[in-house]
């Protein structure tokens, strides 16, 4: 399926404990004006919107089915990575679903705490599905706010 036909520019996957940072990121994304030169060169829209986030965009439905529909209708998956996110079955399930639709290359890790590939499991920030991608030789590129 062509990414241009997707309703959402991105789906932000996060644990409930990371909701504040997820909402902050969504606000930054939807209000950022892409420079005209980048728009032209990459056929990128002026703004990265709409961006789906569970807390504010989904009401009254079978939650699992509704989330899968929103994931399928998103060009990108941004995963808020933290020790809490790594332990969340929902975050992991959303990553797995996105991978199963053949779009692993459209996943962007957004590290806000913890360590990727940590020796101590309590410090791990990647959910198991992202760790599996790395084990399979797929390079994960994203943003690491925890390192700033």
């Amino acid at each position: 399926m062509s990414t241009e036909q997707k309703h959402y520019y991105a789906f932000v996957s996060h644990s409930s404990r990371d909701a504040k940072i997820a909402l902050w990121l969504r606000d930054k994304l939807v209000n950022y004006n892409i420079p005209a030169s980048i728009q032209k060169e990459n056929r990128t829209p002026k703004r990265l919107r709409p961006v789906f986030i569970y807390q504010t965009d989904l009401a009254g439905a079978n939650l699992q089915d509704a989330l899968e529909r929103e994931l399928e209708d998103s060009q990108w998956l941004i995963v808020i990575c933290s020790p809490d996110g790594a332990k969340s079955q929902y975050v992991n399930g959303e990553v797995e679903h996105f991978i199963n639709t053949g779009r692993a290359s459209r996943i962007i890790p957004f590290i806000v705490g913890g360590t990727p590939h940590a020796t101590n499991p309590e410090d791990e920030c990647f959910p198991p599905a992202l760790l599996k991608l790395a084990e399979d030789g797929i390079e994960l590129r994203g943003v690491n706010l925890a390192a700033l």
Side-chain angles (χ1 to χ4, degrees), residues 13-15 64 71 77 79-80 84-100 107 126-133:
S13 179
H14 61 91
S15 78
Q64 187 64 35
L71 280 164
L77 175 62
V79 182
I80 304 294
D84 290 320
K87 294 175 187 119
S88 169
Q89 67 180 5
Y90 297 105
V91 171
N92 194 62
E94 290 161 1
V95 173
E96 283 179 337
H97 187 79
F98 208 78
I99 291 167
N100 291 338
I107 297 174
F126 284 163
L130 281 183
L131 288 172
K132 174 120 176 50
L133 280 181

Side-chain angles (χ1 to χ4, degrees), residues 19 22-23 28-29 58 64 71 89-90 104 109 112 126 141 143:
L23 290 167
K28 295 299 180 189
L29 288 172
L58 195 61
Q64 187 64 35
L71 280 164
Q89 67 180 5
Y90 297 105
V112 299
F126 284 163
R141 293 180 180 241
V143 178

Side-chain angles (χ1 to χ4, degrees), residues 96-136:
E96 283 179 337
H97 187 79
F98 208 78
I99 291 167
N100 291 338
T101 64
R103 295 177 292 152
S105 65
R106 292 190 156 264
I107 297 174
I108 302 170
F110 194 80
I111 302 167
V112 299
T115 305
H117 313 288
T119 53
N120 178 355
E122 292 301 309
D123 294 332
E124 181 58 56
C125 68
F126 284 163
L130 281 183
L131 288 172
K132 174 120 176 50
L133 280 181
E135 290 169 7
D136 291 346

Side-chain angles (χ1 to χ4, degrees), residues 19-49:
K20 187 174 179 180
I21 191 84
L23 290 167
W24 171 85
L25 176 61
R26 178 188 186 198
D27 182 59
K28 295 299 180 189
L29 288 172
V30 300
N31 290 305
Y32 179 72
N33 286 319
I34 306 292
S37 60
I38 293 175
Q39 289 177 46
K40 198 177 217 182
E41 184 178 319
N42 298 299
R43 290 186 237 152
T44 304
K46 182 178 180 175
R47 294 202 177 170
L48 305 178
R49 56 172 68 162

